[in-house]
């Protein structure tokens, strides 16, 4: 049977880092991994993190839990035809984990899948600051924790000992049955994840999917002119807390090629590129259309 793991967690928590580490470890064990990646936006920026020799299927511009069930079923079927030994499904941060789990239960697969359960990765600082979120988004964050088989408290290198202790205590109080591991950069032993199984019911599923109560959406913009890095970062710092995630390519002044830009929870990252990439930026949050982006046109 092919093992299946669902990677859940809020936007920018470190799911793609977890995925890349899991893929590497699976290969080291002689397993052939396959990946299904769900992006809320129209472009699959995170798919570049997956090695070219790993079968990859993408579900774009929609949440796997409310618009992608049929697509997910088809993508799982193609991966099974390619003979993969283990499947990792990275959901968008706006996905409800139980609904994502339900989307891969199909009579088509019969005994072909060993669905192991949900791994929820939580950004520790964001967890402690969750009261600043809207009620609907905070509910989704709690649901992702409550229905996990394994909880990874991530980015603990950015937390004090007191903050880590507080976060661990709160997470365990919400989900006493889950395994909990503190991580940095999403590094978790695959053997640890393989200990889990689909959890017992932890109460009714709260409906928080996009298109229902959850107000998260995405916006794709093209930044037409080169920007000055410090000025661009100053603009990023001015954004409201309701903008959770940005990723894309930005042309910086003085640089030949566009630079990969990542933003999550007040933190930015720039990764140099060695080729011309389309200067598109995906903005994810509550009402991203209200954000004025310097030098852009909407795509």
């Amino acid at each position: 049977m092919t093992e299946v793991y669902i990677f859940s967690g809020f936007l920018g928590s470190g799911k793609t880092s977890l995925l890349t580490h899991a893929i590497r470890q699976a290969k080291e064990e002689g397993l052939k991994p396959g990946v299904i990646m769900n992006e809320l936006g129209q472009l699959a920026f995170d798919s570049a993190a997956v090695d070219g020799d790993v079968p990859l299927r993408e579900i774009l511009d929609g949440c796997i839990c409310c618009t992608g069930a049929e697509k997910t079923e088809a993508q799982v079927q193609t991966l099974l035809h390619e003979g993969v030994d283990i499947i990792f499904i990275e959901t968008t941060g706006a996905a409800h984990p139980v609904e994502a789990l339900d989307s891969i239960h199909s009579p088509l697969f019969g005994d072909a899948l060993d669905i192991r359960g949900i791994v929820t990765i939580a950004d520790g600082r964001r967890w402690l600051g969750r009261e600043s979120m809207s009620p609907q988004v905070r509910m989704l964050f709690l649901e992702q924790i409550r229905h996990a088989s394994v909880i990874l408290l991530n980015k603990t290198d950015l937390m004090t000992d007191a903050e880590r202790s507080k976060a661990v205590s709160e997470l365990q109080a919400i989900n006493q049955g889950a395994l909990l591991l503190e991580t940095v950069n999403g590094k978790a032993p695959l053997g640890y994840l393989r200990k889990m199984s689909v959890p017992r019911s932890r109460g009714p599923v709260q409906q928080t999917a996009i298109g229902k109560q959850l107000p998260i959406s995405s916006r794709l913009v093209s930044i037409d002119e080169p920007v000055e890095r410090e000025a661009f970062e100053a603009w990023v710092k001015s954004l409201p807390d309701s903008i959770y995630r940005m990723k894309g390519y930005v042309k910086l002044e003085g640089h030949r090629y566009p630079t990969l830009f990542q933003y999550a929870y007040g933190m930015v990252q720039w990764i140099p590129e060695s080729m011309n990439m389309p200067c598109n930026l995906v903005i994810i949050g509550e009402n991203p259309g209200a954000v004025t982006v310097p030098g852009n046109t909407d795509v």
Side-chain angles (χ1 to χ4, degrees), residues 7-299:
F7 292 164
S8 174
F10 199 66
L11 299 157
S13 58
K15 293 187 298 296
T16 302
S17 296
L18 168 63
L19 174 65
T20 56
H21 292 304
I23 290 172
R24 176 183 53 79
Q25 293 176 79
K27 288 182 175 180
E28 290 174 352
E29 292 186 22
L31 301 173
K32 180 179 180 180
V35 173
I36 295 176
M37 185 172 285
N38 181 203
E39 293 268 21
L40 186 58
Q42 299 172 10
L43 296 180
F45 286 110
D46 288 340
S47 62
V50 179
D51 294 339
D53 62 338
V54 175
L56 169 67
R57 300 293 179 269
E58 297 166 343
I59 299 174
L60 303 179
D61 202 19
C63 174
I64 194 174
C65 61
C66 56
T67 64
E70 292 183 0
K71 294 179 182 178
T72 306
E73 186 177 271
Q75 304 293 30
V76 170
Q77 192 81 316
T78 59
L79 289 178
L80 290 176
H81 283 312
E82 294 194 43
V84 300
D85 302 305
I86 189 168
I87 297 175
F88 302 116
I89 300 177
E90 180 188 335
T91 66
T92 170
H96 192 296
V98 172
E99 293 176 343
L101 184 67
D102 288 344
S103 72
I104 59 173
H105 282 281
S106 169
L108 288 177
F109 306 135
D111 295 330
L113 298 182
D114 177 12
I115 302 173
R116 305 303 296 271
I118 298 163
V119 181
T120 292
I121 184 166
D123 180 327
R125 295 178 67 188
R126 170 160 284 178
W127 170 258
L128 294 177
R130 64 191 180 281
E131 293 302 321
S132 65
M133 299 177 172
S134 68
Q136 301 98 321
V137 175
R138 188 165 62 249
M139 180 188 294
L140 173 63
F141 202 174
L142 291 170
E143 287 287 283
Q144 291 173 340
I145 298 299
R146 190 160 65 96
H147 293 282
S149 301
V150 172
I151 300 170
L152 303 181
L153 177 61
N154 197 34
K155 305 184 184 180
T156 53
D157 56 321
L158 305 178
M159 306 172 71
T160 66
D161 290 344
E163 287 174 333
R164 290 204 310 272
S165 178
K166 185 175 189 298
V168 168
S169 177
E170 291 177 348
L171 293 171
Q172 289 179 329
I174 292 171
N175 187 342
Q176 299 178 11
L179 300 171
L180 191 146
L181 181 67
E182 297 180 30
T183 58
V184 175
N185 295 324
K187 292 183 178 179
L190 182 58
Y192 188 89
L193 304 184
R194 298 180 82 178
K195 295 178 182 178
M196 73 177 187
S197 59
V198 178
R200 299 184 302 274
S201 173
R202 307 195 195 284
V205 173
Q206 301 296 320
Q207 296 296 316
T208 55
I210 293 174
K212 298 174 184 175
Q213 293 97 336
L214 192 62
I216 295 176
S217 59
S218 67
R219 174 185 174 194
L220 179 64
V221 300
S222 175
I223 300 179
D224 304 316
E225 300 294 333
V227 300
E228 198 275 323
R229 176 169 172 169
E230 290 186 3
F232 191 81
E233 291 187 358
W235 166 74
V236 170
K237 292 179 181 178
S238 73
L239 294 173
D241 292 339
S242 56
I243 298 300
Y244 303 118
R245 186 85 162 93
M246 290 192 294
K247 49 191 174 182
Y249 292 95
V250 177
K251 186 67 179 294
L252 294 175
E253 291 182 354
H255 290 249
R256 180 179 180 183
Y257 299 112
T259 302
L260 176 62
F261 173 76
Q262 301 260 13
Y263 165 84
Y265 198 47
M267 300 180 64
V268 301
Q269 181 182 28
W270 298 93
I271 304 174
E273 279 287 344
S274 58
M275 65 182 70
N276 278 317
M277 303 295 292
C279 292
N280 293 326
L281 185 69
V282 174
I283 306 172
I284 303 173
E286 299 177 58
N287 194 21
V291 174
T292 300
V293 183
N296 92 92
T297 55
D298 282 275
V299 178

